Amino acid sequence: MLFGNRSSAVDWLIVGLGNPGAKYENSRHNMGFLTVELLADKAGVKLNKVKFKAAYNILNFAGCKCLVMKPQTYMNLSGEAVREAAQFYKIPADRVLVIYDDVSLPVGKLRVRPTGSAGGHNGIKNIIAHLGTQEFPRVKIGVGAPEGADKDMADFVLSTPSQADRKLLLESFEKAIEAAECIIEKGCQAAMNRFN
């Protein structure tokens, strides 16, 4: 079978950003991981295959064949995993959908973007560097910002949200999955109109 045969190919790459390991499991920086785990769970699939420096699986979502992945490189090198999978399956950047945490949004608030700069997010910065473009859709999940100017941002994103925040974030994972579905089925503009 030829590599380019669409029947075995992947239509979309859905990437949840986070850091591997129990230490970071429920930290604010792992909102992407937690969202794609829920997405896979709903499809009755585990992200337990290992390739492309990622834990992944291929599933049907929004009427497409999607490779859903959690890069295992640690956040700052996420682009390595994304580039490997995108190159292997010949997925264009505008079909690489990235889900991640955003400190500039209130807790649980979503923002869909078709493109844009990294906005200080090292995972996104690395993906832009490896894909050679910022033209890829994203779903950002707000985690809020630390109180007080002297708070360290790294400590904040690597810490676990409060119980109250966790409840809002769990709801936002469901919404982020709906937003991803909307992006794939109807495009970014429709998703922005509905979720931003």
Side-chain angles (χ1 to χ4, degrees):
M1 192 163 19
L2 290 173
F3 176 74
N5 187 325
R6 289 308 294 166
S7 67
S8 66
V10 167
D11 303 308
W12 280 79
L13 183 55
I14 301 175
V15 185
L17 296 187
N19 285 309
K23 179 181 173 189
Y24 302 110
E25 208 169 357
N26 294 307
S27 72
R28 290 177 175 87
H29 229 11
N30 273 31
M31 297 301 115
F33 270 20
L34 295 168
T35 302
V36 295
E37 280 167 10
L38 179 64
L39 190 161
D41 209 34
K42 285 172 172 287
V45 170
K46 292 254 177 274
L47 301 179
N48 57 2
K49 295 185 177 180
V50 180
K51 196 177 178 179
F52 317 115
K53 298 180 182 160
Y56 80 98
N57 216 323
I58 294 172
L59 50 96
N60 288 311
F61 175 69
C64 290
K65 229 175 201 178
C66 299
L67 187 152
V68 180
M69 67 156 38
K70 301 189 305 179
Q72 299 295 293
T73 53
Y74 288 95
M75 184 64 83
N76 298 0
L77 300 174
S78 300
E80 292 177 11
V82 174
R83 187 191 67 222
E84 280 186 32
Q87 272 178 345
F88 185 82
Y89 287 105
K90 298 181 168 54
I91 301 169
D94 63 0
R95 285 179 167 240
V96 175
L97 171 57
V98 185
I99 302 171
Y100 63 101
D101 60 288
D102 189 334
V103 294
S104 65
L105 294 172
V107 177
K109 180 115 174 76
L110 286 195
R111 179 152 301 145
V112 173
R113 284 276 177 266
T115 178
S117 71
H121 195 287
N122 289 332
I124 295 296
K125 191 187 296 179
N126 196 255
I127 292 171
I128 291 170
H130 279 279
L131 291 181
T133 180
Q134 51 184 31
E135 304 289 318
F136 55 88
R138 311 104 202 259
V139 177
K140 307 178 192 190
I141 298 172
V143 292
E147 303 275 324
D150 59 335
K151 277 282 205 184
D152 182 62
M153 194 55 83
D155 286 347
F156 177 75
V157 294
L158 295 175
S159 65
T160 307
S162 69
Q163 203 60 47
D165 283 0
R166 241 179 285 182
K167 191 173 176 300
L168 291 172
L169 289 165
L170 282 171
E171 289 165 15
S172 73
F173 301 158
E174 298 274 0
K175 278 200 228 116
I177 292 169
E178 286 173 33
E181 191 171 23
C182 188
I183 290 168
I184 292 170
E185 289 177 344
K186 302 186 173 130
C188 264
Q189 194 54 58
M192 286 163 72
N193 294 345
R194 190 171 149 201
F195 293 95
N196 287 1

